[in-house]
Amino acid sequence: MSAKVKATKPAAKPAAKPAAKSATAEEAAPQLSREELFELFGLVQEVDSVELKLTVRDDERQHAIAALGADPLDAQIRQVYFFDTPDLTLNRLGLVTRARRIQGAGADSVVKLRPVVPDELPSGLRASPDFRVEVDAMPGGYVCSGALKAKAGHDRVLEVVAGRRPLRGLFSKEQRALFAEHAPDGIALDDLSVLGPVNVLKVKFTPKGAGRKLALELWNYPGDLRLLELSTRVTPKEMFDAAGQVAAFLEGRGISLAGAQATKTHTALEIFSRRLKEPAAP
């Protein structure tokens, strides 16, 4: 991987208790250390946006949806595909490639670098209108990533995942160049396997008393596995005030900030990687 992209933090720091159902009322949400807070404060001065995220514990999923007043009938359906080798070579190097189809809207593709140091990114890439640097912050951890997006038609995505069109056709010239710069030697876009799809329900709404818009995403993985994530996008300047406000609101609704924090992408990649490696049924 190019030395131009370095880790600010290897991954989101895990929450204190890995087992959601064993959590108790006395359990506190994981906290960043003083040094980590100073590091985060400096980092957010250099990014385009911040997304505050919380993975809701399995035993609180239905309670959280009801407590926030989210209406499932308002949900937008999304279909997400990832592309990697069966043993997730790209993911281990911090390179993510993805395509997404959105109900009632278009489709898009992304080449993402994670984690990154904003001031060490190439100036040309940083100046691209299609490239954004963002911090994902969750209880006890954070990660900084850079994503290069491009539009892609619904039909094109379906043709690619069905094997009727080369994978490189989903990505723009700028995305292909970024991929080639950071992918390991000998791995091209067309060599990657399709990991997906994951069907996602997403609701954007402003709960009473929250003071800001939230997004609720329910990721439905194979094998009846579900992951519910709450998030809100904020500017770097308002991140710390917004984090306190949202945390107080959620706790006031009885939604715990404790418990293991999972990422949607990592969960999807692990599941579909295992499925690719499983021997075919007779």
Side-chain angles (χ1 to χ4, degrees):
M1 191 173 190
S2 170
K4 293 180 181 178
V5 177
K6 298 180 181 178
T8 60
K9 201 170 181 65
K13 184 179 177 181
K17 300 287 185 180
K21 291 187 178 181
S22 64
T24 66
E26 292 76 21
E27 183 182 58
Q31 300 291 324
L32 294 174
S33 68
R34 181 182 177 86
E35 291 74 19
E36 289 170 328
L37 284 171
F38 276 117
E39 180 183 347
L40 178 57
F41 180 80
L43 179 64
V44 297
Q45 311 306 312
E46 304 172 8
V47 303
D48 300 312
S49 63
V50 176
E51 191 166 14
L52 306 176
K53 297 184 174 183
L54 173 70
T55 300
V56 177
R57 293 178 354 193
D58 288 346
D59 58 335
E60 290 192 342
R61 187 187 307 132
Q62 295 303 321
H63 164 73
I65 294 173
L68 295 174
D71 188 345
L73 295 184
D74 293 333
Q76 181 186 62
I77 302 172
R78 299 181 172 207
Q79 193 174 53
V80 182
Y81 294 90
F82 296 95
F83 310 102
D84 205 328
T85 65
D87 58 354
L88 306 182
T89 301
L90 301 185
N91 183 59
R92 292 198 303 272
L93 296 176
L95 181 60
V96 177
T97 54
R98 186 202 74 198
R100 178 177 60 184
R101 301 173 63 229
I102 304 173
Q103 178 189 32
D108 59 29
S109 62
V110 170
V111 175
K112 180 179 288 189
L113 307 175
R114 182 171 59 192
V116 299
V117 177
D119 61 7
E120 295 183 8
L121 290 166
S123 57
L125 177 64
R126 194 70 174 89
S128 171
D130 298 319
F131 185 78
R132 289 184 64 81
V133 178
E134 182 172 87
V135 165
D136 289 341
M138 65 287 295
Y142 59 90
V143 64
C144 184
S145 61
L148 184 62
K149 291 187 178 183
K151 294 181 179 180
H154 285 275
D155 291 342
R156 187 184 305 176
V157 174
L158 293 177
E159 289 173 358
V160 165
V161 299
R164 296 193 296 270
R165 179 191 287 259
L167 179 57
R168 64 180 182 275
L170 270 183
F171 298 92
S172 67
K173 181 179 180 180
E174 190 178 16
Q175 287 176 316
R176 294 195 298 271
L178 182 63
F179 177 89
E181 181 180 358
H182 294 281
D185 292 339
I187 295 182
L189 277 168
D190 290 339
D191 298 328
L192 304 180
S193 300
V194 177
L195 303 174
V198 183
N199 294 320
V200 181
L201 297 177
K202 183 169 184 176
V203 182
K204 294 182 180 180
F205 64 117
T206 304
K208 184 177 181 180
R212 64 175 56 251
K213 181 175 289 187
L214 301 182
L216 183 153
E217 292 187 41
L218 181 62
W219 284 52
N220 299 278
Y221 300 102
D224 295 325
L225 176 64
R226 307 283 186 270
L227 191 153
L228 179 65
E229 180 189 84
L230 302 176
S231 65
T232 185
R233 198 176 298 276
V234 301
T235 66
K237 289 183 178 180
E238 65 177 342
M239 187 196 77
F240 290 99
D241 287 341
Q245 177 189 12
V246 172
F249 169 76
L250 294 177
E251 289 180 330
R253 292 294 187 277
I255 300 172
S256 174
L257 304 186
Q261 294 298 298
T263 67
K264 300 167 298 193
T265 296
H266 179 76
T267 302
L269 291 174
E270 289 291 335
I271 289 173
F272 287 105
S273 173
R274 288 195 298 267
R275 290 169 69 90
L276 283 178
K277 295 175 183 178
E278 290 173 355

